[in-house]
Amino acid sequence: MIYTVTLNPAIDLVIVTKKLEPRVVNRTESSELQPNGKGVNVSFILKKLGIESVATGIGGGFTLDYITAGLEQKKIQTNFFKVDEPSRVNVFTNVLDQDTEYKEVNPGPKIGQKPQEQFLAYLTATLKEDDVVVVSGSFSSGIKPAILTKIAQISHDQRAKLVIDSSYLEVMDTLPYHPFLIKPNDAELASFFKFKGKLTKAKTVELAERLVEAGCSNVLVSLGAQGAALVNRNQVLFANAPKIKVVNSACAGDTMLGTFIAFLEKKKPVEEALKVAVAAGSDTASRVGLTDFELDVLLTQVMIKEGKR
């Protein structure tokens, strides 16, 4: 089983408006509420591709009820540990006359120790060999990034595969527990090593290889408009991104990760997994909601090339 972990779930309010002016009423063209959180999105993508998962984590209030209802409507299992304070609502505003997007992301509720202990105990009791644990996104206030190490240790002890998509520097502390995959973007990869120079393709490979040498099996680097790179002990692969008009970039990385995991679960070649993952992530970025996986046009634009070690 795949367990997606979201420790700061959200409802995303996605707005499209012709203009955005201060101190006046701005009438919008459209809006949509979406159950969200990075792990939640991974569960949605897995389901679209026929892969079952359990969405778990910690959240609260009527907003968490909305999020879990959205998951369960798609027949995705949920097991969130609930607090009283509501989970956050984020706002993403696409302004047409500016051809730009504004992202307003809230911190989330304060989480005490008891629900954290309950969540960790659940993982310890539930995980089995070859299960996959996907930890994605930021954590609510009160959850220290060091929880990543605890999750890594539990996953290692239970012989489950750990996947991490998070910007915290504590990601580095999980390497002794041999995570299966880490998915940083280019800025996060640089920050892991306190690198402040230009992140060329060669430097991207060098830093990703350092993660592999330290214990990570696979490193999937999101390069934004440049596509993505995959580095492991056997190969270096680059995929270019197709040309799109960005509408809402909030869920593109989650789509890429969920698609990549799904194709590996289906035992597809890693080159195919990377190609479809990049196309799907780009398709999500070009629309308000998640991709519908009608990717024929985008797939013709994505090329996989081997990189140099």
Short mmCIF file of all heavy atoms in Angstrom, two decimals, residues 11 16 26 39-40 58-59 104 125 127-128 136 156 166 182 198 206 217 219 229 270 278 291 301 305:
data_model
loop_
_atom_site.label_atom_id
_atom_site.label_comp_id
_atom_site.label_asym_id
_atom_site.label_seq_id
_atom_site.Cartn_x
_atom_site.Cartn_y
_atom_site.Cartn_z
N ILE A 11 -7.36 23.70 1.91
CA ILE A 11 -8.29 23.94 0.81
C ILE A 11 -7.67 25.06 -0.02
O ILE A 11 -7.29 26.09 0.52
CB ILE A 11 -9.68 24.37 1.31
CG1 ILE A 11 -10.34 23.23 2.09
CG2 ILE A 11 -10.56 24.80 0.15
CD1 ILE A 11 -11.66 23.63 2.74
N VAL A 16 -9.71 33.10 -10.98
CA VAL A 16 -9.31 33.73 -12.25
C VAL A 16 -10.05 35.06 -12.34
O VAL A 16 -11.28 35.11 -12.22
CB VAL A 16 -9.64 32.83 -13.46
CG1 VAL A 16 -9.26 33.56 -14.75
CG2 VAL A 16 -8.90 31.51 -13.36
N ASN A 26 -13.21 43.70 -6.91
CA ASN A 26 -12.74 43.03 -8.13
C ASN A 26 -13.64 41.83 -8.41
O ASN A 26 -13.68 40.87 -7.63
CB ASN A 26 -11.29 42.56 -7.94
CG ASN A 26 -10.31 43.70 -7.84
OD1 ASN A 26 -9.89 44.25 -8.84
ND2 ASN A 26 -9.95 44.07 -6.61
N GLY A 39 0.53 15.89 -0.24
CA GLY A 39 0.26 14.47 -0.20
C GLY A 39 -1.13 14.13 -0.68
O GLY A 39 -1.36 13.10 -1.34
N VAL A 40 -2.10 14.99 -0.36
CA VAL A 40 -3.47 14.82 -0.85
C VAL A 40 -3.48 14.78 -2.38
O VAL A 40 -4.13 13.92 -3.00
CB VAL A 40 -4.37 15.95 -0.32
CG1 VAL A 40 -5.72 15.97 -1.04
CG2 VAL A 40 -4.57 15.82 1.19
N ILE A 58 -2.25 15.05 9.63
CA ILE A 58 -2.86 15.74 10.75
C ILE A 58 -3.49 17.04 10.25
O ILE A 58 -2.85 17.79 9.50
CB ILE A 58 -1.83 16.06 11.85
CG1 ILE A 58 -1.10 14.80 12.30
CG2 ILE A 58 -2.49 16.73 13.05
CD1 ILE A 58 0.07 15.06 13.24
N GLY A 59 -4.72 17.31 10.66
CA GLY A 59 -5.39 18.55 10.29
C GLY A 59 -6.55 18.79 11.23
O GLY A 59 -6.67 18.12 12.26
N GLU A 104 -1.09 33.10 -2.21
CA GLU A 104 -1.22 33.50 -0.81
C GLU A 104 -1.44 32.24 0.02
O GLU A 104 -2.52 31.64 0.02
CB GLU A 104 -2.38 34.48 -0.63
CG GLU A 104 -2.14 35.79 -1.37
CD GLU A 104 -3.43 36.47 -1.78
OE1 GLU A 104 -4.12 35.93 -2.67
OE2 GLU A 104 -3.73 37.53 -1.21
N ALA A 125 2.51 0.90 13.58
CA ALA A 125 1.64 -0.28 13.65
C ALA A 125 1.16 -0.75 12.28
O ALA A 125 0.80 -1.92 12.12
CB ALA A 125 0.43 0.04 14.53
N LEU A 127 2.64 0.08 8.83
CA LEU A 127 3.52 -0.13 7.69
C LEU A 127 4.03 -1.57 7.63
O LEU A 127 4.34 -2.19 8.64
CB LEU A 127 4.71 0.82 7.76
CG LEU A 127 4.43 2.30 7.53
CD1 LEU A 127 5.72 3.10 7.60
CD2 LEU A 127 3.74 2.53 6.19
N LYS A 128 4.11 -2.06 6.39
CA LYS A 128 4.65 -3.39 6.13
C LYS A 128 5.75 -3.30 5.07
O LYS A 128 5.91 -2.28 4.40
CB LYS A 128 3.54 -4.32 5.64
CG LYS A 128 2.42 -4.56 6.66
CD LYS A 128 1.36 -5.48 6.09
CE LYS A 128 0.29 -5.81 7.13
NZ LYS A 128 -0.40 -4.61 7.61
N SER A 136 5.01 14.76 1.93
CA SER A 136 5.06 15.89 1.01
C SER A 136 4.69 17.19 1.71
O SER A 136 3.77 17.23 2.53
CB SER A 136 4.08 15.68 -0.15
OG SER A 136 4.39 14.53 -0.89
N HIS A 156 12.23 2.76 7.68
CA HIS A 156 13.40 1.88 7.56
C HIS A 156 13.20 0.61 8.38
O HIS A 156 13.46 -0.51 7.91
CB HIS A 156 14.65 2.63 8.00
CG HIS A 156 15.91 1.82 7.88
ND1 HIS A 156 16.43 1.13 8.94
CD2 HIS A 156 16.73 1.60 6.82
CE1 HIS A 156 17.54 0.51 8.54
NE2 HIS A 156 17.74 0.79 7.26
N SER A 166 9.95 17.72 0.30
CA SER A 166 9.87 18.78 1.32
C SER A 166 11.11 19.64 1.26
O SER A 166 12.20 19.16 0.93
CB SER A 166 9.73 18.15 2.71
OG SER A 166 9.54 19.14 3.69
N ILE A 182 13.95 11.17 -3.16
CA ILE A 182 13.80 12.55 -2.70
C ILE A 182 13.51 13.41 -3.91
O ILE A 182 14.17 13.28 -4.95
CB ILE A 182 15.05 13.05 -1.96
CG1 ILE A 182 15.25 12.26 -0.66
CG2 ILE A 182 14.95 14.55 -1.66
CD1 ILE A 182 16.53 12.61 0.09
N LYS A 198 25.26 29.49 -9.63
CA LYS A 198 24.33 29.12 -10.69
C LYS A 198 24.22 27.60 -10.77
O LYS A 198 25.23 26.89 -10.85
CB LYS A 198 24.81 29.67 -12.03
CG LYS A 198 23.85 29.37 -13.19
CD LYS A 198 24.34 29.95 -14.50
CE LYS A 198 23.37 29.62 -15.63
NZ LYS A 198 23.83 30.15 -16.93
N GLU A 206 25.78 16.89 -9.98
CA GLU A 206 26.77 16.73 -8.90
C GLU A 206 26.09 16.71 -7.53
O GLU A 206 26.38 15.84 -6.70
CB GLU A 206 27.78 17.88 -8.95
CG GLU A 206 28.80 17.84 -7.81
CD GLU A 206 29.61 19.12 -7.70
OE1 GLU A 206 29.82 19.78 -8.75
OE2 GLU A 206 30.01 19.47 -6.57
N SER A 217 18.26 6.44 -2.80
CA SER A 217 18.30 5.59 -4.00
C SER A 217 18.06 6.37 -5.28
O SER A 217 18.71 6.13 -6.30
CB SER A 217 17.27 4.47 -3.89
OG SER A 217 17.56 3.63 -2.79
N VAL A 219 16.95 10.44 -6.94
CA VAL A 219 16.70 11.87 -6.75
C VAL A 219 16.02 12.38 -8.01
O VAL A 219 16.56 12.30 -9.11
CB VAL A 219 18.00 12.65 -6.51
CG1 VAL A 219 17.70 14.13 -6.29
CG2 VAL A 219 18.75 12.08 -5.31
N ALA A 229 15.12 16.26 -13.81
CA ALA A 229 16.27 15.37 -13.90
C ALA A 229 16.08 14.22 -12.92
O ALA A 229 15.52 14.41 -11.83
CB ALA A 229 17.56 16.11 -13.58
N VAL A 270 11.85 3.37 -16.26
CA VAL A 270 12.02 4.66 -15.59
C VAL A 270 11.98 5.81 -16.59
O VAL A 270 11.51 6.92 -16.28
CB VAL A 270 13.31 4.66 -14.75
CG1 VAL A 270 14.55 4.64 -15.65
CG2 VAL A 270 13.36 5.85 -13.81
N VAL A 278 6.60 14.35 -16.38
CA VAL A 278 6.85 15.74 -16.77
C VAL A 278 5.68 16.28 -17.59
O VAL A 278 5.22 17.41 -17.38
CB VAL A 278 8.18 15.86 -17.54
CG1 VAL A 278 8.31 17.24 -18.19
CG2 VAL A 278 9.36 15.60 -16.61
N THR A 291 -4.42 17.35 -13.85
CA THR A 291 -4.44 16.79 -15.20
C THR A 291 -5.51 15.71 -15.35
O THR A 291 -5.83 15.00 -14.40
CB THR A 291 -3.07 16.18 -15.56
OG1 THR A 291 -3.12 15.62 -16.87
CG2 THR A 291 -2.67 15.09 -14.58
N GLN A 301 6.30 16.51 -27.16
CA GLN A 301 7.31 17.55 -26.93
C GLN A 301 8.37 17.16 -25.91
O GLN A 301 9.41 17.82 -25.80
CB GLN A 301 6.63 18.84 -26.45
CG GLN A 301 5.61 19.43 -27.41
CD GLN A 301 5.00 20.69 -26.85
OE1 GLN A 301 5.69 21.59 -26.36
NE2 GLN A 301 3.68 20.77 -26.90
N LYS A 305 16.80 12.48 -22.34
CA LYS A 305 18.20 12.40 -22.76
C LYS A 305 19.06 11.96 -21.57
O LYS A 305 18.80 12.34 -20.44
CB LYS A 305 18.69 13.76 -23.26
CG LYS A 305 17.99 14.24 -24.53
CD LYS A 305 18.57 15.56 -25.01
CE LYS A 305 17.89 16.02 -26.30
NZ LYS A 305 18.44 17.31 -26.78
#
